[in-house]
Amino acid sequence: MANANPSAGHGGARGANKLPDLRELSHAELAGVLGELGAPAFRVKQVEEWLARPEVQGFDAMTNLPKDLREKLAERYTLSSMALAATRVSKDGSRKYLVRCASDGTYVECVGLPSAGRLSVCVSTQAGCAMGCSFCATGRAGLTRSLSAREIADQVGVVRADFGLRVSSVVFMGQGEPFANYDATLAALRILNAPGPETIGARHLTVSTCGIIPRIRQFSKEPEQFTLAISLHSAVQATRNALMPAVRKYPLTRLHEVLGEYAERTHRRPTYEFAPIEGVNDTNPEVDALVDFCAGTLCHVNLIHLNELEGSPLKPSAASRVRGIQARLERAGVETTIREPRGQDIEAACGQLRQRLEGLGF
Ligand code: SF4
């Protein structure tokens, strides 16, 4: 999760497309449209395969459809949910993308993270974010709007097309709080998990939330094995309230309870994201509370690097302190990983997805 204020400077694009976007139709709606146009049922699958490729921006590219069907579709629909606006490449190989929503010109960001022949993608679920976490660049600018399912899923296609690699996993950790846009997030997960040549297994699709308890419950009842990450960042209520003010109404005691229910119901292990911050959540009492929160439960802790924001007093803990926290958790039997920061030079790392639209020098 992380990011932006996209509205300034590009409002002129709003309303530019008068025709509806074919990519926004559900499977049933698409089948209905093609049926009305006299196309046989097998065309639905063919069209869906084209729609899943964001580099396909026009009906002429759908070469296995008859010309008259392509023309009829072009008269009634547009074909673009997301267009690539700009790319930044990190010296560590990760790439950050600025993508533009065709419907209204809103910009969001996504990131591609290649590693040993595998490609992970981090997508945004909202343009901006209303949660206001104090360590996050996205939270500073507020929420512009939530994205549609197709706008979320198409970010994966943009990254796939640029790398020319199969996408092995997707994390919903870009701009926005996915569970504040639950229905579109779930529909995007299902688009990405749908059978096909580019399908991504449910266990490789991870949603990260600040801890919106009713939605965690709802998520645990979904039939697919999608995975869950929680932005925890402190197991001390007062500290967490200060770092993540929007979730103070979901106290840690209830969060702990509902995560226990989640693990029991799904037999899956939630991941807790924890960014050690010097003097804030890395003190001995804080680490004791973190150990108490995790010990004896099904979970995995990711210690992630805090990326400093301009003008913020929050600083990342020293590497030796982070290793100390890991050792303390592991002594209590809690599996813990220290995640290497990536994409820092292009501001693509967690909390850094902040749009800079001036000249697209984002
Ligand atoms: S870290 Fe907080 S403010 Fe930033 S995108 Fe995630 S939920 Fe929003």
Side-chain angles (χ1 to χ4, degrees):
M1 300 184 289
N3 174 302
N5 179 12
S7 58
H10 51 280
R14 287 172 204 279
N17 291 308
K18 295 202 171 52
L19 298 175
D21 185 346
L22 196 70
R23 282 195 163 100
E24 294 294 338
L25 301 192
S26 67
H27 173 81
E29 288 166 342
L30 179 65
V33 165
L34 291 173
E36 278 168 26
L37 295 178
F42 72 88
R43 295 284 181 211
V44 179
K45 187 164 179 288
Q46 287 181 322
V47 173
E48 281 180 329
E49 282 171 2
W50 289 114
L51 296 183
R53 295 172 54 180
E55 71 274 21
V56 174
Q57 297 277 322
F59 293 100
D60 281 348
M62 301 183 174
T63 46
N64 57 356
L65 302 186
K67 191 161 181 284
D68 70 317
L69 179 57
R70 284 184 262 154
E71 284 170 359
K72 284 181 194 163
L73 286 171
E75 282 163 15
R76 292 163 176 79
Y77 292 92
T78 58
L79 191 58
S80 46
S81 126
M82 293 300 223
L84 179 58
T87 309
R88 287 183 72 185
V89 180
S90 166
K91 58 184 182 222
D92 68 19
S94 53
R95 299 180 197 171
K96 181 172 77 163
Y97 303 89
L98 182 66
V99 288
R100 183 178 177 279
C101 304
S103 61
D104 64 357
T106 294
Y107 287 92
V108 293
E109 295 173 357
C110 54
V111 180
L113 300 148
S115 168
R118 298 174 68 78
L119 179 61
S120 294
V121 178
C122 175
V123 295
S124 296
T125 53
Q126 298 181 301
C129 184
M131 305 303 282
C133 301
S134 61
F135 48 82
C136 171
T138 306
R140 286 183 167 183
L143 175 69
T144 298
R145 73 164 170 87
S146 289
L147 301 184
S148 70
R150 182 52 72 180
E151 287 169 341
I152 299 169
D154 277 359
Q155 294 168 58
V156 175
V158 166
V159 180
R160 178 194 296 128
D162 189 54
F163 276 90
L165 288 174
R166 196 174 180 284
V167 173
S168 38
S169 61
V170 179
V171 291
F172 287 53
M173 291 184 189
Q175 300 163 348
E177 162 55 59
F179 284 175
N181 185 20
Y182 188 89
D183 291 347
T185 292
L186 195 72
L189 286 163
R190 288 182 173 150
I191 290 172
L192 297 170
N193 184 228
E198 302 293 348
T199 186
I200 302 167
R203 285 166 182 261
H204 301 285
L205 295 168
T206 302
V207 178
S208 176
T209 174
C210 281
I212 297 180
I213 285 175
R215 296 294 177 234
I216 296 173
R217 285 219 169 90
Q218 190 174 349
F219 195 62
S220 73
K221 293 176 189 161
E222 304 296 352
E224 298 91 346
Q225 299 203 317
F226 303 129
T227 59
L228 178 70
I230 304 290
S231 284
L232 186 60
H233 303 303
S234 177
V236 173
Q237 193 64 57
T239 310
R240 196 163 194 268
N241 289 350
L243 291 173
M244 306 171 72
V247 281
R248 61 171 65 205
K249 63 182 172 207
Y250 303 118
L252 282 160
T253 45
R254 282 191 58 217
L255 183 63
H256 191 264
E257 238 171 67
V258 82
L259 288 168
E261 289 165 18
Y262 169 87
E264 200 169 313
R265 185 188 292 268
T266 64
H267 306 291
R268 294 197 296 277
R269 184 175 70 161
T271 297
Y272 301 156
E273 306 286 345
F274 191 100
I277 306 170
E278 193 177 78
V280 175
N281 63 1
D282 68 349
T283 62
N284 288 337
E286 284 278 341
V287 178
D288 288 346
L290 177 62
V291 168
D292 283 350
F293 192 88
C294 300
T297 70
L298 202 56
C299 73
H300 183 100
V301 175
N302 268 340
L303 296 174
I304 60 179
H305 182 82
L306 177 84
N307 296 294
E308 289 186 58
L309 301 180
E310 219 174 277
S312 168
L314 303 178
K315 308 283 172 218
S317 303
S320 57
R321 184 65 191 144
V322 178
R323 285 195 299 275
I325 297 171
Q326 181 183 36
R328 176 88 174 76
L329 283 162
E330 292 199 331
R331 275 201 303 280
V334 181
E335 267 186 55
T336 306
T337 305
I338 297 177
R339 289 249 301 274
E340 293 305 320
R342 297 192 63 188
Q344 281 184 299
D345 55 328
I346 55 168
E347 295 181 288
C350 299
Q352 284 191 302
L353 285 176
R354 182 162 50 92
Q355 294 163 352
R356 291 184 178 164
L357 291 168
E358 304 88 352
L360 296 186
F362 73 119

